[in-house]
Amino acid sequence: PRSASPPQLLYLHSSQSSSQLVIVAQRKLETQLESYSVPFVKIDGMEPEKKEVRKAIWEMSDQKPGTYPILVDMVNGKCYAGDDLQASQDTGSLQTALTTSYGSSA
């Protein structure tokens, strides 16, 4: 039997957001993810073929449709969005959780 692909880190973003808050939050998150050197899958919620995935992420994270950015840690079954996401970035707990689960390539 084929082995299942390892759990992934999913990053839901919007390529067409007009909200300055969203744009800033996405930029900050992307910069941090790259600095952690963890592998992540970037999902553009604006792409029609990503509609189902986007809907599933909103349901899973208990966020209302249109919420960006959202980070889904499939290893720990944890979702980060809004204030939780900001707080976990600022305290460093996000980096710890992700580098522990996904390993750092640095």
Side-chain angles (χ1 to χ4, degrees):
R2 230 179 42 190
S3 64
S5 59
Q8 293 173 311
L9 181 61
L10 308 179
Y11 163 52
L12 178 68
H13 73 108
S14 166
S15 61
Q16 295 169 28
S17 179
S18 55
S19 158
Q20 208 46 50
L21 285 171
V22 168
I23 294 165
V24 169
Q26 291 184 162
R27 196 173 300 142
K28 176 181 173 184
L29 181 56
E30 280 180 46
T31 304
Q32 288 199 316
L33 287 174
E34 280 158 15
S35 75
Y36 302 164
S37 302
V38 292
F40 63 96
V41 179
K42 198 169 167 178
I43 298 163
D44 183 356
M46 292 290 113
E47 293 177 6
E49 65 273 18
K50 298 293 194 299
K51 218 170 141 181
E52 289 305 308
V53 181
R54 179 182 79 185
K55 186 169 173 272
I57 290 176
W58 284 330
E59 284 173 3
M60 217 163 101
S61 61
D62 209 20
Q63 295 295 320
K64 59 183 196 295
T67 303
Y68 298 100
I70 298 178
L71 200 58
V72 182
D73 172 357
M74 300 292 275
V75 168
N76 299 304
K78 194 162 165 36
C79 300
Y80 299 89
D83 294 341
D84 283 350
L85 177 58
Q86 287 292 329
S88 64
Q89 285 176 282
D90 295 340
T91 60
S93 63
L94 182 66
Q95 181 172 9
T96 306
L98 299 183
T99 48
T100 302
S101 300
Y102 296 91
S104 169
S105 54

